[in-house]
Amino acid sequence: MSTGEGKGMDRRGFLRLAGLGALSAAAVPAGWDLLKPGAALAAGAGAPVAGRRYAMVVDARTGCPDGCRDCIGACNTTHNIPTFADEPDPRRHELKWIWQTSFHSAFPGNEQEFAREDLESKQVTVLCNHCQNPPCVRVCPTKATYQRPDGIVMMDFHRCIGCRFCMAGCPYGSRSFNWRDPWPRNAATGEPAKLPNPEYPTRMRGVVEKCTFCSERLDRGLQPACVEACKEKLLVFGDLHDAGSGVRALLKEHYTIRRKANLGTQPQVYYVIGA
Ligand code: SF4
Ligand code: SF4
């Protein structure tokens, strides 16, 4: 993965030359045209993928224990995601890779008046769905966001010009924009201050970021940090092409739903909601 440091390409210069206007309607299919019937097949989605196909299963039957944010904390530390505690309104700058939301926000349209009352107060863990048919990838003019053969939707900070088309294209709010440098920089060297995880690249103001299923950890044979951190074992990650994997077993044994699956994005995060 590239960092935002020492960039060979001047993103702002690129924007000046290209002009956001020229990049907009002409280059990018309009709105949900991206997801109209046939678009998925035309984009190659659903075609057999050689090798692995990664997915996550979230057990949403009980919801997260009150106040538990272990998965979020592990993700933030692993990926140098700041809290912006120095900002008057930290939420304005919030960078969300994995977060919690209400059941109804996670699954709009599933509301009904006779549903379990406790669902209203339960928190569900949500993250990038690593969609098999990802609109974010199709709208990115620089290929800064792209899909690996194993299905993971990646970000290359180095190539991102900050146009935010991907944020407009993602129907799940899974992408965040760096309105300021995530970490203060040393005035003399320009290098970021001490990072929680020096092994993970930091980025700069003006680029988009999101969950990468901890690709850097997978490449070292590790599980995603959130999966490892969840003491309740509510997050299970694995290869759907492996018939013996935990994710396959859960999908076979339980009823699962996906977020806004009707949009045709083919999310690869599944939620167990029934026996
Ligand atoms: S959830 Fe959003 S950011 Fe993630 S792959 Fe799907 S469209 Fe892209
Ligand atoms: S903001 Fe999103 S669409 Fe624009 S270049 Fe960066 S990743 Fe691509």
Side-chain angles (χ1 to χ4, degrees):
M1 180 182 296
S2 306
T3 71
E5 322 310 323
K7 296 160 78 65
M9 178 167 126
D10 180 336
R11 293 178 303 107
R12 297 189 200 296
F14 177 89
L15 273 179
R16 269 197 304 278
L17 282 174
L20 266 177
L23 276 172
S24 60
V28 180
W32 298 110
D33 278 1
L34 289 161
L35 297 170
K36 65 189 177 188
L41 284 178
V49 182
R52 297 180 176 138
R53 184 176 138 201
Y54 286 126
M56 186 177 286
V57 179
V58 179
D59 190 339
R61 286 174 293 180
T62 58
C64 301
D66 287 346
C68 180
R69 292 171 56 86
D70 289 350
C71 57
I72 299 169
C75 178
N76 287 359
T77 304
T78 303
H79 302 111
N80 296 324
I81 300 168
T83 57
F84 297 114
D86 60 324
E87 287 284 346
D89 182 7
R91 292 200 61 173
R92 193 170 151 257
H93 294 268
E94 190 177 15
L95 301 172
K96 293 190 299 188
W97 285 39
I98 180 169
W99 69 102
Q100 293 167 343
T101 192
S102 69
F103 189 87
H104 294 315
S105 297
F107 305 106
N110 284 307
E111 308 90 347
Q112 46 103 340
E113 60 184 307
F114 305 112
R116 268 169 47 194
E117 282 177 16
D118 63 329
L119 279 185
E120 196 63 56
S121 60
K122 292 293 177 198
Q123 292 288 292
V124 180
T125 302
V126 293
L127 61 158
C128 168
N129 292 286
H130 295 275
C131 305
Q132 230 183 322
N133 178 27
C136 59
V137 169
R138 256 192 322 290
V139 295
C140 178
T142 65
K143 300 197 188 313
T145 189
Y146 60 96
Q147 193 172 33
R148 302 197 332 182
D150 57 18
I152 297 179
V153 174
M154 293 291 293
M155 265 306 299
D156 183 341
F157 303 138
H158 198 96
R159 296 178 71 96
C160 179
I161 57 171
C163 66
R164 289 179 276 154
F165 290 159
C166 57
M167 292 178 72
C170 171
Y172 305 97
S174 299
R175 296 175 160 266
S176 301
F177 185 67
N178 282 282
W179 292 100
R180 52 171 266 191
D181 273 336
W183 297 93
R185 288 171 187 274
N186 180 309
T189 65
E191 291 298 315
K194 202 169 79 179
L195 299 169
N197 179 9
E199 287 181 15
Y200 195 79
T202 187
R203 36 280 181 199
M204 62 191 295
R205 180 165 68 100
V207 304
V208 166
E209 60 182 81
K210 67 164 204 75
C211 160
T212 60
F213 266 170
C214 280
S215 62
E216 80 286 358
R217 288 173 57 90
L218 302 180
D219 294 345
R220 289 188 283 144
L222 300 171
Q223 286 277 299
C226 55
V227 173
E228 202 174 274
C230 179
K231 296 187 199 76
E232 305 292 323
K233 306 288 176 222
L234 299 182
L235 310 176
V236 176
F237 178 84
D239 177 11
L240 288 178
H241 285 174
D242 175 0
S245 65
V247 284
R248 281 283 292 273
L250 285 168
L251 294 186
K252 191 172 177 187
E253 288 165 15
H254 300 286
Y255 183 70
T256 56
I257 59 175
R258 293 182 285 176
R259 298 185 66 204
K260 300 182 184 176
N262 58 319
L263 295 179
T265 51
Q266 301 183 40
Q268 294 307 301
V269 177
Y270 299 76
Y271 291 84
V272 179
I273 57 159

